[in-house]
Amino acid sequence: MNQPRFTLRQLRYFVTIAECGTLSEAASRLHVAQPTLSQALTDLERALRVQLCVRRRAHGITLTPSGHQVLRQARHLLRQAEDLESAASGQGSLTGVLSVGCYVTLAPTVLPPLLQGFSAPHPELTVEFSEDTQDVLQQRLLHGELDLAILYDMDVNPELARTVLHTVRPHVLLPADHPMADRSSVSLRDLEPEPMVLLDAPPSSHNTLAIYENLGLVPRVRYRPSTIETTRALVGRGMGYALLVQRPNHDRTHEGRRVVVKEIAEQVPSARVLLAWPRATRLNRRAEEFVRFCRENSAA
C-alpha cells in the first residue's frame, strides 16, 4: 500500500481555510502563524498534484472545482480519523463533533429535546447545529458540511437517505378575536377571501400553495415573512391568517398577543419530518448513534 503524501494536519488546515475564506482568519482560528498555514496549503497541493484554491491578497481564497471535491473528501477523512481515535482509546465513549442541521421552523420545537436527550449520555461529544431552509441544508449535507439534517419530506434530493421521525398535520393560525376563533375547525374555503400571511421559507410556501391548488382555491397572499415568529406576530395583530405545519407550545406572540390554532376542515396531507444524510457517505459512529437515538425517541 502506498504511503499518503499528505497529513491529517494539512487536511484540517485546508478545511479551516476553506470555511474561513481567508488565510488570516483561518490562522487566527487555528492559533498558528499565517506563513505556516500558507506553506501547509502549498504542500498539500503539491502532494495531491492539483490546485485547490486561487489566492488573492485582497479577496481571500476561492476554491477551484478540484478544491471543492477535495474539501468534501477531507471532511469525511477527518471524521473517520476522529472515530478511529475514539475506538482506539477503548473507552467506547463518543467524542469529537457531530454537525446537525435543522429546517428553520422545526428547530424551536424539535431540536432542543433531541440535543438535550442525546448529549446527556455523551458529555464528551460536541453537537453543533445550524438552522436554515431545506435547499441550503441539503446542499450542505451533500458538500460534507453537515453529518445529518432534520427536514420535512418535501422536495428532498434523491441523493439523500432518510428515516421518518414523525408526522404532523397542517393547521390554521388565527388571531384570538377572529370570528372563526371559537370553531373546532375552520374551512380553507371560508378563509379564501381573507388576507393570508404566507411563511416564505422553502419549501414551506410551495407546500402551502400546493394544498390550496389541490382544493381548487387561490389564497389572497398579502405578506410573505421568512420566519415563523414574524408570521405569528402578523397574525396576532389581525393582519391575516396563516397555514402552518409546526405547532409551537404557546399561544402568545412576542408582543403578548394571543393566537389560536385551528384544525382544517378539508382533507389535507400530513407532513413527515425526516432525519437525512448523504447516501454515498458512510455514517460515522456519532451520526449512527444520533440516528438510533432519534428513531427510539420519535413517534413515526
Side-chain angles (χ1 to χ4, degrees):
M1 180 180 296
N2 293 331
Q3 181 75 18
R5 295 186 296 272
F6 58 86
T7 67
L8 291 177
R9 182 184 298 251
Q10 290 170 344
L11 292 181
R12 183 164 66 92
Y13 284 1
F14 168 60
V15 169
T16 305
I17 292 169
E19 291 176 347
C20 291
T22 65
L23 287 169
S24 59
E25 184 176 344
S28 176
R29 181 190 295 186
L30 292 166
H31 304 291
V32 299
Q34 186 170 331
T36 301
L37 201 59
S38 180
Q39 185 60 50
L41 179 58
T42 299
D43 292 342
L44 179 61
E45 290 180 319
R46 184 180 297 118
L48 297 177
R49 298 173 183 170
V50 66
Q51 183 178 3
L52 299 175
C53 60
V54 178
R55 310 184 205 189
R56 297 185 177 90
R57 185 177 298 275
H59 302 284
I61 66 103
T62 303
L63 293 184
T64 64
S66 295
H68 283 288
Q69 183 177 359
V70 171
L71 177 61
R72 183 185 304 183
Q73 294 299 319
R75 287 183 172 128
H76 181 60
L77 285 173
L78 290 172
R79 285 170 179 150
Q80 284 186 317
E82 289 180 351
D83 280 349
L84 178 61
E85 184 177 5
S86 177
S89 68
Q91 298 176 357
S93 59
L94 294 181
T95 60
V97 178
L98 176 68
S99 298
V100 179
C102 190
Y103 178 58
V104 62
T105 65
L106 284 169
T109 55
V110 174
L111 205 51
L114 289 178
L115 294 182
Q116 184 179 45
F118 184 68
S119 297
H122 306 295
E124 298 179 39
L125 177 69
T126 299
V127 181
E128 296 180 347
F129 67 90
S130 304
E131 304 169 56
D132 220 312
T133 56
Q134 296 217 162
D135 52 346
V136 173
L137 292 174
Q138 291 184 75
Q139 285 300 313
R140 294 190 65 190
L141 278 174
L142 295 174
H143 290 162
E145 298 175 24
L146 297 172
D147 294 306
L148 303 160
I150 300 169
L151 311 167
Y152 279 121
D153 190 9
M154 304 172 190
D155 302 329
V156 178
N157 192 306
E159 294 182 46
L160 296 179
R162 73 290 301 264
T163 186
V164 179
L165 299 183
H166 62 269
T167 59
V168 60
R169 193 171 188 269
H171 64 275
V172 166
L173 193 70
L174 297 175
D177 59 356
H178 192 279
M180 302 182 198
D182 59 348
R183 299 184 186 179
S184 58
S185 65
V186 296
S187 168
L188 296 182
R189 295 185 186 279
D190 292 340
L191 288 171
E192 184 182 22
E194 299 189 17
M196 180 187 187
V197 180
L198 178 65
L199 176 61
D200 200 6
S204 182
S205 55
H206 172 76
N207 179 65
T208 297
L209 295 176
I211 289 175
Y212 279 84
E213 183 178 356
N214 290 336
L215 293 172
L217 304 176
V218 179
R220 292 180 56 215
V221 178
R222 179 168 293 180
Y223 302 103
R224 290 177 173 266
S226 60
T227 68
I228 195 167
E229 285 305 325
T230 303
T231 301
R232 287 167 52 81
L234 292 171
V235 172
R237 282 182 168 272
M239 301 170 70
Y241 72 95
L243 191 153
L244 301 172
V245 176
Q246 192 60 23
R247 305 189 181 208
N249 56 7
H250 58 89
D251 64 355
R252 299 282 177 178
T253 69
H254 282 312
E255 297 177 307
R257 298 175 186 271
R258 186 166 170 264
V259 292
V260 294
V261 170
K262 293 297 171 181
E263 299 299 329
I264 298 173
E266 290 85 0
Q267 289 296 319
V268 296
S270 296
R272 301 197 301 176
V273 177
L274 310 174
L275 187 61
W277 61 92
R279 293 185 185 276
T281 301
R282 181 181 180 277
L283 290 179
N284 58 44
R285 182 167 166 244
R286 297 179 295 279
E288 286 180 343
E289 287 299 312
F290 189 78
V291 171
R292 180 191 60 78
F293 175 83
C294 289
R295 284 172 172 164
E296 293 177 354
N297 292 273
S298 299

